[in-house]
Amino acid sequence: MTCPLTPLAISVLALLRERPMHPYEMYQLLVEREETRIVKVRPGSLYHAVERLASDELVVATGTEREGNRPERTTYELTDRGRAALRARIQELLAEPVNEFPIFPVALAESHNLTRDEVLEALARRRAALEASVTELTDLLEVARRLEVAEAYWFQLDYLRAITTTELDWISRLITRIDSKDLTWPTP
């Protein structure tokens, strides 16, 4: 029985839809394409995902090669079953909102356990990181446009920038409210 495809499995199947490749090449492409912004990728987890996809018959090994002293590299390709699973999972995820339980709302819910100053300092660091991320995403979008890359290949970056900008605006308002004592803060 095949489990629902994880984000990393979706990325692997999508890469193999482009052409057959070995896991290390997949890893390099995911990093090069900045997909690490949307998918948690580590070489070990990628190899594990490929093995699971192979056991589910969504990908198949097509050959093994060795260059010099390097370890053998097994090349995989997408099966018809894998292509269908990829399409079905993408359609499902586009159509149905999912509560993914991110950790940040937990930190917000429990922030009353810190002092006002500790919360302000932590939120200021988060705001700076979000500002840097918005700048970096804006730069990536400008490069994609300048290179005339079809928008269908990068519009997820525009989504990430919009979400990050919204969080940045919200955090900035929260910092102002806590700092001005408009938001009453309990003493832990």
Side-chain angles (χ1 to χ4, degrees):
M1 179 178 162
T2 303
C3 295
L5 297 174
T6 65
L8 183 53
I10 292 168
S11 294
V12 167
L13 293 177
L15 285 172
L16 292 177
R17 188 168 179 268
E18 293 177 28
R19 69 178 185 280
M21 59 183 82
H22 52 78
Y24 184 70
E25 182 181 8
M26 292 179 216
Y27 176 76
Q28 289 178 312
L29 278 173
L30 290 171
V31 170
E32 178 184 312
R33 293 176 180 178
E34 299 279 342
E35 299 221 10
T36 54
R37 292 179 172 279
I38 58 174
V39 179
K40 186 175 184 176
V41 181
R42 293 199 172 98
S45 59
L46 189 133
Y47 281 89
H48 178 72
V50 171
E51 288 172 9
R52 198 181 95 238
L53 292 168
S55 71
D56 288 342
E57 299 177 355
L58 301 179
V59 302
V60 62
T62 58
T64 304
E65 61 185 50
R66 178 188 299 267
E67 288 183 29
N69 295 359
R70 294 185 175 164
E72 284 187 346
R73 291 187 174 167
T74 303
T75 299
Y76 293 87
E77 75 178 36
L78 189 61
T79 64
D80 288 341
R81 183 175 170 181
R83 188 172 285 103
L86 174 64
R87 292 175 53 81
R89 185 69 169 142
I90 292 170
Q91 288 172 344
E92 175 187 355
L93 291 171
L94 286 173
E96 300 170 19
V98 175
N99 188 354
E100 300 176 75
F101 302 103
I103 194 75
F104 183 59
V106 174
L108 287 172
E110 299 304 331
S111 64
H112 62 271
N113 289 290
L114 302 175
T115 66
R116 174 192 319 271
D117 289 342
E118 289 170 326
V119 170
L120 285 170
E121 191 272 327
L123 291 175
R125 287 193 330 241
R126 186 179 190 93
R127 178 173 55 192
L130 291 169
E131 288 168 343
S133 185
V134 168
T135 298
E136 192 173 356
L137 287 164
T138 300
D139 292 347
L140 288 169
L141 288 165
E142 288 174 7
V143 168
R145 286 184 181 109
R146 189 174 61 249
L147 296 175
E148 298 180 359
V149 176
E151 189 174 357
Y153 292 107
W154 54 260
F155 71 164
Q156 75 281 2
L157 294 176
D158 195 35
Y159 168 80
L160 290 175
R161 184 178 63 176
I163 295 299
T164 306
T165 300
T166 299
E167 182 180 344
L168 174 59
D169 293 344
W170 188 86
I171 293 290
S172 294
R173 287 192 307 275
L174 179 62
I175 288 171
T176 299
R177 290 190 63 217
I178 294 171
D179 192 39
S180 71
K181 299 186 172 117
D182 175 48
L183 193 156
T184 304
W185 202 257
T187 303

